[in-house]
Amino acid sequence: MLGQFSSPFKLARKGIMGMNQRNTRYISRYNPRKLYPLVDNKLKTKIIAQRDQVTIPALIGVVRTQHDIQSIIPLLHKHPGFVIKPAKGSGGKGILVITKQQAGLFFKPSGAQATEEDIKRHCSNILAGLFSLGGSPDVAVIEALIEFDSCFDGFSFEGVPDVRVIVFQGYPVMAMMRLSTAASDGKANLHQGAVGVGIDIGTGKALHAVQFDRPVEVHPDTDRPLKELEVPHWQRLLELASNCYEMSGMGYLGTDMVLDKSNGPMLLELNARPGLAIQIANGEGILPRLKLVEKMIAEGQKLSPIERVEFSKKAFSR
């Protein structure tokens, strides 16, 4: 396990990649700036995912203007649950999840109520750029609610867990599952207190887990042992993640996937600047894996998405 305070020498010896190295050696080198809008804008990501037949949550509607807000409520009443998110948001900011409706009221996962005016106000704030990168004007994307897979009961608190897979040149190199907690307010955000569980690339099984960068054995709210976690449809999930390389053109990418009870693995969003906490969740540095892929590419090896997944499962399994 990585210590909370380690010298740069020890971190380098463990293959830990720092932020400066990530930015200069991998993001700047492998992610063309002209392609950033495809991943920074969730609506554009959905469009290219549909084009390449990558499974995604169904799109209910898009709110582009203040005038659109007035007509959105009748549409939402046709869907018991839905998610409203800013197209250019980051870090889970501005995401509103509604799980049910009753007597004209909307209910969040925590049971808290929201009125029609609350929904309209939230959409208005999104349009104004309150949650977007750089505060620029935005649009509100409304998606169908993901149906929570019962295999994850007890592993998450008031939220849908997701799987972050780092994909380098099309190879899935490291993965973790992010589990929401009471501390994270039901959001799968590690900085807010979600639990990060390192996932074995070869098997889809839990390695170990951290919360606030400290090891944990059980979910802090449900007491479910985290070592029992195993991601179903793991092969299909990795293949979807690998396909995101061709889909986006990004060489160093964070793919966020969810497991829907009916539809299986689905792409939630892409990230051109994936964080480094995944190394802490895995208890291992990512650099040796990245260098192995670079070596293969330098030798001229060109593999299909399925072949890349099979290579990663064998090379990076613990």
Side-chain angles (χ1 to χ4, degrees), residues 13-313:
R13 194 168 56 186
K14 289 180 175 290
I16 303 299
M17 181 165 67
M19 187 171 294
N20 289 338
Q21 194 169 21
R22 181 204 66 172
N23 293 344
T24 57
R25 180 168 177 175
Y26 292 98
I27 293 179
S28 296
R29 184 177 178 184
Y30 292 102
N31 292 350
R33 293 292 304 180
K34 65 180 181 180
L35 298 179
Y36 273 59
L38 296 179
V39 298
D40 285 345
N41 188 310
K42 295 178 180 62
L43 184 57
K44 291 183 178 181
T45 300
K46 292 183 79 70
I47 291 171
I48 62 173
Q50 288 176 327
R51 178 198 68 195
D52 286 21
Q53 298 182 323
V54 173
T55 311
I56 54 174
L59 180 65
I60 293 175
V62 181
V63 180
R64 300 180 185 276
T65 67
Q66 293 291 337
H67 181 266
D68 291 342
I69 295 176
Q70 303 307 315
S71 58
I72 198 65
I73 298 300
L75 176 62
L76 295 181
H77 280 312
K78 298 178 182 179
H79 301 269
F82 54 85
V83 179
I84 302 177
K85 59 178 65 173
K88 295 186 286 187
S90 64
K93 297 176 182 177
I95 296 178
L96 176 64
V97 178
I98 298 297
T99 56
K100 68 176 182 177
Q101 300 182 46
Q102 187 175 340
L105 292 173
F106 301 90
F107 290 84
K108 302 177 185 180
S110 63
Q113 300 176 1
T115 65
E116 291 185 359
E117 288 305 312
D118 293 329
I119 300 294
K120 292 179 181 179
R121 189 179 307 109
H122 187 75
C123 289
S124 183
N125 287 337
I126 289 176
L127 296 183
L130 188 62
F131 311 108
S132 66
L133 293 166
S136 60
D138 206 348
V139 300
V141 178
I142 305 173
E143 294 178 342
L145 188 66
I146 297 161
E147 191 177 1
F148 191 71
D149 195 312
S150 58
C151 71
F152 294 129
D153 286 349
F155 287 122
S156 196
F157 179 81
E158 295 180 354
V160 177
D162 67 18
V163 180
R164 162 69 59 87
V165 181
I166 301 295
V167 178
F168 179 53
Q169 296 293 82
Y171 292 80
V173 292
M174 190 167 278
M176 72 172 169
M177 193 154 205
R178 300 182 296 190
L179 310 175
S180 57
T181 65
S184 70
D185 193 29
K187 297 178 181 178
N189 189 307
L190 299 190
H191 298 295
Q192 293 178 305
V195 172
V197 183
I199 302 294
D200 190 317
I201 286 285
T203 64
K205 296 181 179 180
L207 295 169
H208 50 74
V210 294
Q211 184 185 34
F212 295 118
D213 295 341
R214 295 181 179 277
V216 290
E217 299 290 335
V218 300
H219 191 284
D221 304 304
T222 68
D223 289 331
R224 177 105 189 239
L226 296 170
K227 65 181 180 180
E228 297 176 356
L229 179 62
E230 181 175 359
V231 183
H233 311 295
W234 186 240
Q235 177 74 21
R236 175 60 181 155
L237 188 148
L238 289 182
E239 289 175 9
L240 280 177
S242 180
N243 274 305
C244 289
Y245 169 58
E246 279 85 4
M247 183 187 89
S248 68
M250 290 282 191
Y252 187 78
L253 194 66
T255 65
D256 294 340
M257 322 289 287
V258 290
L259 275 294
D260 183 84
K261 187 175 183 179
S262 302
N263 299 299
M266 306 174 78
L267 173 66
L268 197 59
E269 61 183 74
L270 300 175
N271 194 317
R273 315 166 192 82
L276 299 170
I278 193 169
Q279 299 176 107
I280 300 174
N282 277 267
E284 185 174 336
I286 197 172
L287 272 177
R289 304 185 184 193
L290 300 178
K291 290 178 179 178
L292 177 58
V293 172
E294 285 181 313
K295 181 176 181 292
M296 288 185 59
I297 293 173
E299 293 172 350
Q301 295 200 41
K302 295 182 179 180
L303 305 180
S304 69
I306 294 178
E307 289 171 332
R308 295 194 300 255
V309 168
E310 290 307 312
F311 172 85
S312 294
K313 287 175 67 177

